[in-house]
Amino acid sequence: MQVTMTVNDVEVTREIEARLLLVHFLRDVLGLTGTHWGCDTSNCGTCVVWLDGEPVKSCTVLAAMAGGHQVRTVEGLAKGAELDPIQQGFMQCHGLQCGFCTPGMMMTARALLDRNPDPSETEIREAISGQICRCTGYATIVRSVRWAAVAEAQAAAQVTETTESTEAGEIDNAGQPAEAVA
């Protein structure tokens, strides 16, 4: 059968077997190996991707079921060369050790921050409770998510401050203080 879906903002069409799981479609057919395949029973969460903006365990979704939908994988988190804050947080706070659970954790954490930009430690732990990390004990993962939340809040505050200064005439179009230009 033929399936067409949008993966990381690119429309793809492929011939597949009707029983092919989304995780295998992404890894084996499209070569997007950032999505990991762990337990094949939906217990570990290493295979989490987004389907129409919602985290799903791709080992439980047939590729055919994703036809006509938007899929985002960990490869689609970065914007060009700029890492997503959740990716930066995992680097800054050592939120990974072996890295096997990391892509799924990042996808779940990004979805959490999109819904709740300032989650508590309890909310973070609840969000990632469907995933297993055998290395970190979760403390560094929670710190990584909090780091990303704070970094995004600081970036948003800086944008707001710059916008307000520009509107007030304090900054010129080149981003310089108005008095420096005069």
Side-chain angles (χ1 to χ4, degrees):
M1 72 177 294
Q2 190 175 71
V3 66
T4 299
M5 66 185 77
T6 302
V7 179
N8 297 333
D9 300 322
V10 176
E11 188 174 287
V12 296
T13 301
R14 299 290 190 280
E15 284 292 326
I16 61 167
E17 291 184 36
R19 63 189 176 115
L20 183 68
L21 293 172
L22 182 58
V23 66
H24 298 302
F25 178 77
L26 295 169
R27 291 181 59 79
D28 303 335
V29 176
L30 299 183
L32 297 172
T33 57
T35 301
H36 291 167
W37 176 44
C39 65
D40 219 16
T41 61
S42 80
N43 289 318
C44 72
T46 63
C47 66
V48 170
V49 298
W50 292 356
L51 185 61
D52 293 335
E54 290 297 319
V56 298
K57 293 179 179 177
S58 61
C59 74
T60 64
V61 177
L62 293 172
M65 294 168 61
H69 295 278
Q70 300 273 332
V71 176
R72 179 148 325 267
T73 70
V74 70
E75 290 93 344
L77 280 182
K79 304 288 188 266
E82 184 180 338
L83 294 179
D84 185 270
I86 201 69
Q87 292 169 307
Q88 293 171 0
F90 270 69
M91 286 175 34
Q92 292 293 321
C93 299
H94 309 286
L96 59 114
Q97 284 184 10
C98 80
F100 196 72
C101 72
T102 304
M105 288 284 188
M106 286 184 181
M107 296 304 291
T108 298
R110 176 75 266 155
L112 169 65
L113 293 181
D114 287 348
R115 286 190 316 273
N116 178 359
D118 188 26
S120 67
E121 178 179 335
T122 301
E123 291 168 321
I124 295 167
R125 288 182 180 277
E126 183 179 313
I128 64 172
S129 66
Q131 291 163 274
I132 297 172
C133 175
R134 292 175 175 91
C135 302
T136 68
Y138 301 96
T140 56
I141 293 170
V142 171
R143 276 197 298 274
S144 299
V145 178
R146 282 296 311 147
W147 186 97
V150 169
E152 287 183 339
Q154 289 173 342
Q158 187 176 14
V159 167
T160 300
E161 183 179 301
T162 301
T163 301
E164 290 171 356
S165 295
T166 302
E167 289 171 356
E170 297 169 10
I171 295 179
D172 72 1
N173 291 337
Q176 301 296 318
E179 59 273 5
V181 175

